[in-house]
Amino acid sequence: MKPAPFAYHKARTLKDAVTLLAKHKGDARLLAGGQSLIATLNMRLSAPDLLIDINAIKGLDGIARKGKFVEIGALARHSDVEHSKLIAQYAPLIARAMPHIGHPAIRNRGTFGGSIAFADPAAELPACIVVLGGEIAVSGPKGKRKVKADAFFKGLFETALRPREMITAVRLPAADKATRVGFAELARRHGDYAIVGLAASARADGKALKDVRLAYFGVGDTPVRAGKSEAALAKGDVEGAVAALDLDPPDDVQASAAVKKHLAGVLLRRVAEQLMEGR
Ligand SMILES: Cc1cc2nc3c(=O)[nH]c(=O)nc-3n(C[C@H](O)[C@H](O)[C@H](O)COP(=O)(O)OP(=O)(O)OC[C@H]3O[C@@H](n4cnc5c(N)ncnc54)[C@H](O)[C@@H]3O)c2cc1C
C-alpha cells in the first residue's frame, strides 16, 4: 500500500520544527528515522497531512557525559549508541539492550528519541530508561520541560508528550563502580520484537544488592515494574522474587498470557544471575 498524500517540510532548526508543529492546524508528525512511522503511513494506520523531517537539525544527535549524567540526543541513531564507548562505560544497560533492537539496517536509521516517542510496549529502550530513572527533555511552544521516565509512558503507544512537543534528549544517571545491570529477552528470532523482556539495575552493597529495579516489556501497555520481586531480589531471594511476580500480561499474537508469565520467571532468574555476578 501507499501512504495517503501529505505535505513535507524539512526543519533546519529546533525552533523551526517546534514553531511549525505549533502553527499547523491539522495533523502534523515528526519524521525521525522513519522506521516505525513510514510503516504506519504505508499501512494507513495513520494519515497526517504534514510530515516535519527533523533529521537535518544540528546538535540533536550527540552522546555526551554531563556531570553525573549521560545525555543521548533524540536523533542519535541506535547504531551510534550501540557502538559508543561512552555508552558502554556509563550506560551499560543501554549498550546491552541495543543489539536486540531490530536488525543493523533498522538500527542505522532508527533514533533513540523516536523509539521513546513511539512507546511500543514491546520495545527495549522505554523499559531501560524507566529502570535507570532517566529523564526526557522536551521542547514545545511553551518552552522546555523535563519528564521523569517513570511518568512518561502513559498507555499503549501513549506518552506524556503534549501534541505540539518534541523530545530533544534523554538523560540517564551515569553508571559507576557500584552499578549492576541485567538484560534479557525472549524473541522468536533475534531482532524480532520481544515476546517478553526484562531490564534491570541495582547497586552493589558489599556482596548484596540494593536499589534493585526491574522493568518488564512485552507484558502490558507500558514498561511494567515488578516491585515485590525487586524487594525479594534485594534480599538475595531469587526464587522468592520469581514467586512474587504479579504480572498480568494480555494474550497477544506472539504468546498466551500463561506463556508470558512463565517466560517472565525464566528471564528473572537469568537477570538475577547477571546482577549478582556483576556481569
Ligand atoms: C522490522 C523492524 C523491526 C523492529 N524491531 C524493533 C525492536 O525489536 N525493538 C524496538 O524497540 N524497535 C524496533 N523497531 C522500531 C525501531 O526501533 C524504530 O527506530 C523506533 O521505534 C522509532 O524510531 P524512528 O527514529 O525510526 O522514529 P520514526 O519512525 O520516525 O517515528 C516514530 C514516531 O515517533 C515520533 N517521533 C520521532 N522522533 C520524535 C521526537 N524526537 N520527538 C517526538 N516525537 C518523535 C514520530 O512522529 C512518530 O510518531 C523495529 C522496526 C522495524 C521496521
Side-chain angles (χ1 to χ4, degrees):
M1 278 176 73
K2 289 203 166 70
F6 55 82
Y8 172 89
H9 177 87
K10 190 164 199 158
R12 299 285 171 186
T13 62
L14 181 59
K15 194 173 170 208
D16 183 16
V18 170
T19 307
L20 192 57
L21 260 185
K23 275 192 188 159
H24 187 71
K25 299 279 179 247
D27 182 9
R29 288 295 160 81
L30 299 174
L31 172 66
Q35 298 304 294
S36 301
L37 180 61
I38 298 298
T40 65
L41 297 186
N42 286 344
M43 288 187 273
R44 300 213 174 189
L45 295 172
S46 63
D49 52 26
L50 173 65
L51 289 194
I52 303 170
D53 185 342
I54 59 174
N55 284 276
I57 301 178
K58 292 207 166 56
L60 281 189
D61 60 351
I63 301 170
R65 180 154 181 220
K66 296 196 173 170
K68 290 183 172 176
F69 296 90
V70 175
E71 192 172 282
I72 304 173
L75 279 179
R77 308 285 166 190
H78 297 324
S79 53
D80 292 334
V81 177
E82 179 183 3
H83 300 297
S84 160
K85 286 189 179 138
L86 196 134
I87 292 293
Q89 184 171 357
Y90 296 112
L93 179 62
I94 302 292
R96 216 175 266 197
M98 273 298 168
H100 295 272
I101 299 180
H103 310 283
I106 288 148
R107 298 200 291 276
N108 282 342
R109 288 298 303 165
T111 65
F112 205 92
S115 196
I116 301 303
F118 194 57
D120 191 305
E124 291 80 1
L125 295 180
C128 289
I129 70 166
V130 164
V131 134
L132 294 173
E135 203 173 61
I136 295 117
V138 166
S139 274
K142 292 186 180 159
K144 297 178 180 176
R145 66 185 182 111
K146 290 189 173 116
V147 186
K148 298 267 182 219
D150 274 343
F152 189 76
F153 301 100
K154 296 282 188 196
L156 195 61
F157 299 104
E158 195 192 328
T159 69
L161 269 184
R162 296 178 188 138
R164 306 299 181 197
E165 287 182 329
M166 71 177 268
I167 296 174
T168 54
V170 174
R171 289 179 97 200
L172 304 168
D176 58 28
K177 279 183 184 158
T179 303
R180 297 281 179 271
V181 297
F183 184 90
E185 74 171 52
L186 290 157
R188 283 184 189 277
R189 298 166 303 185
H190 185 87
D192 282 359
Y193 272 105
I195 302 170
V196 182
L198 175 58
S201 75
R203 295 191 64 75
D205 185 18
K207 285 190 176 172
L209 295 173
K210 62 178 183 181
D211 301 337
V212 177
R213 290 168 70 98
L214 304 169
Y216 279 92
F217 48 100
V219 299
D221 290 350
T222 61
V224 177
R225 289 281 298 276
K228 290 179 190 160
S229 303
E230 291 173 354
L233 213 49
K235 290 182 196 148
D237 182 3
V238 178
E239 286 313 308
V242 173
L245 277 174
D246 56 357
L247 304 172
D248 185 21
D251 294 332
D252 65 23
V253 287
Q254 299 231 57
S256 67
V259 168
K260 282 178 180 260
K261 278 189 189 177
H262 171 73
L263 296 180
V266 172
L267 292 182
L268 184 46
R269 290 187 187 95
R270 291 181 188 174
V271 161
E273 209 172 303
Q274 295 173 20
L275 291 175
M276 284 162 180
E277 287 177 0
R279 286 196 272 126

